[in-house]
Amino acid sequence: MENYWNKEIECMPLEDMKKLQSERLVAQVKHVYDNVPYYKKLMDEKGVTPDDIKSVDDLHKLPFLTKADLRDAYPYGLLAKPLSDCVRIQSTSGTTGRRVVAFYTQHDIDLWEDCCARAIVAAGGTKDDVCQVCYGYGLFTGGPGLNGGSHKVGCLTLPMSSGNTERQIQFMQDLGSTIICCTPSYAAYIGETIKEMGISPDDIKLKAGIFGAEPWTEEMRREIEKSLGIKAYDIYGLTETSGPGVAFECCEQHGMHINEDNFIPEIIDPDTGEVLPEGSKGELVFTSITKEAFPLLRYRTRDICVLTREKCSCGRTLIRMSKPMGRSDDMMIIRGVNVFPSQIETVLIKQGYAPNYQIEVDRVNNTDTLDVYVEMSQEQFSDQIKDIQDKEKELVAAITQMLGIRPKVHLVSPKTIARSEGKAVRVIDKRKLHD
Ligand code: ADP
Ligand code: ZN
């Protein structure tokens, strides 16, 4: 079966896509230059005018925008349309600092929902599906984005928002939900609760899940697929570029196709800003070529990943991005070694633990400390201290091998680590308190 929402675009030959992107880019640069004094100034400072941008090959001439610019220009400084043309505001979750607000015209909302519809259809969604959206609704883009996409596809949409997990499961059973959309950490929690309620994955009708908004590992994917009896698809996006749906996974589950007709991706060296060739790992940068109200050009996401144009068996020609392994600011430097939370998650799940963990970093006597708190399941729990110590030692060895530095591991009783209904908070870096 062909699972495309817009085959013409999703399978467009590369040359045609470049042409489309170039036309849109040229018009967008002019729109921004004429309407956003903040960006015009950046262009003037760099000595670039709209006339210098004739195709996507000139993209590198434009200045970058960063989260700091968004904060500087808060709230209206990057707006490219009169407020009277805007119909919606959304905001970031504030995971890494002050919130950023984004504006949408009706045209922007339509394009965004269209991107989400592509993701739902790629996951096998049709108008016969019942789509339970348990991303948060409100300012956070997760709920509204997938809600709109689900409507477009014609799914029967359950706007559950996050939380009240038993009710989620009740509705899932009573109304026969076939697709679920939420953060992967919440999906894991729902899977855990289903098991505790004595419900088997065979008793529910779910077939697919669309999970994103936070980093998650392949190991976590397999856990969720097992506990919910589904195929789990990744979806990526950020408020600054509209929200979820910038990129989505197909049946291959091997990287996310970027909706290049709306967003031109680049990978740069985060230190020098130099554009890196395809296949290199670096910071992802996006240029929105279709958004009207909040069209960021060369926006630095701080997400680290790899792009590939390798042919995908699903037939889509859209470029693919690898799972971001975390943002550049999620990366912890501990005793001089770069550590991503996802590396620790990989080890824990491989060793048979559920993804309920917290990482604490501190500095004691000028030395960084790394403490990993890991929850045991009822079955793993033991009242023999020796058993627990042995298990802790095993984990210390496995994590040391992965990271090259030695953590302290604390196995804690079942149900003692807070579950997440939205984006999970995995790291507490106490060093920041001392700075
Ligand atoms: P905040 O920056 O406050 O969390 P957003 O809600 O806009 O605001 O989150 C966007 C960020 O979420 C992205 O830049 C990325 O770091 C992360 N993210 C979104 N989707 C994914 C995904 N599928 N995998 C990994 N990280 C993701
Ligand atoms: Zn594909």
Side-chain angles (χ1 to χ4, degrees), residues 249-275:
E249 243 175 14
C250 63
C251 54
E252 274 297 297
Q253 294 175 301
H254 193 60
M256 293 175 271
H257 289 283
I258 296 177
N259 284 312
E260 289 180 271
D261 52 325
N262 297 308
F263 310 101
I264 307 180
E266 296 169 279
I267 291 286
I268 61 160
D269 177 328
D271 297 324
T272 63
E274 181 201 349
V275 179

Side-chain angles (χ1 to χ4, degrees), residues 16 26 36 44 92 122 144 166 177 201 233 256 263 269 294-295 309 329 333-334 346 358 366 378 386-387 413 425:
D16 296 350
V26 168
V36 184
D44 290 345
T92 57
E166 297 209 348
S177 306
Y233 296 84
M256 293 175 271
F263 310 101
D269 177 328
F294 201 65
R309 282 223 180 262
D329 30 330
I333 303 182
I334 303 175
T346 299
Q358 193 139 47
N366 292 319
Q378 283 300 348
K386 169 93 176 49
D387 283 353
S413 313
V425 180

Side-chain angles (χ1 to χ4, degrees), residues 67 71 91-100 135 140-142 184 211-216 233-241 243-244 247 256 299 301-304 321-330 423:
K67 201 141 186 161
R71 290 182 181 135
S91 167
T92 57
S93 330
T95 316
T96 57
R98 187 162 140 193
R99 286 167 187 268
V100 163
Y135 282 108
F140 176 53
T141 54
F211 307 126
E214 65 182 2
W216 53 311
Y233 296 84
D234 204 351
I235 185 166
Y236 169 90
L238 55 165
T239 314
E240 295 89 322
T241 53
M256 293 175 271
Y299 180 66
T301 63
R302 300 188 290 181
D303 291 321
I304 304 290
M321 62 181 271
S322 64
K323 256 180 183 312
M325 57 182 309
R327 340 181 176 210
S328 47
D329 30 330
D330 275 346
K423 297 196 190 215

Side-chain angles (χ1 to χ4, degrees), residues 30-43:
K30 190 167 173 348
H31 170 58
V32 171
Y33 191 82
D34 291 346
N35 294 287
V36 184
Y38 190 100
Y39 198 76
K40 176 177 186 294
K41 183 162 169 268
L42 293 181
M43 284 177 64

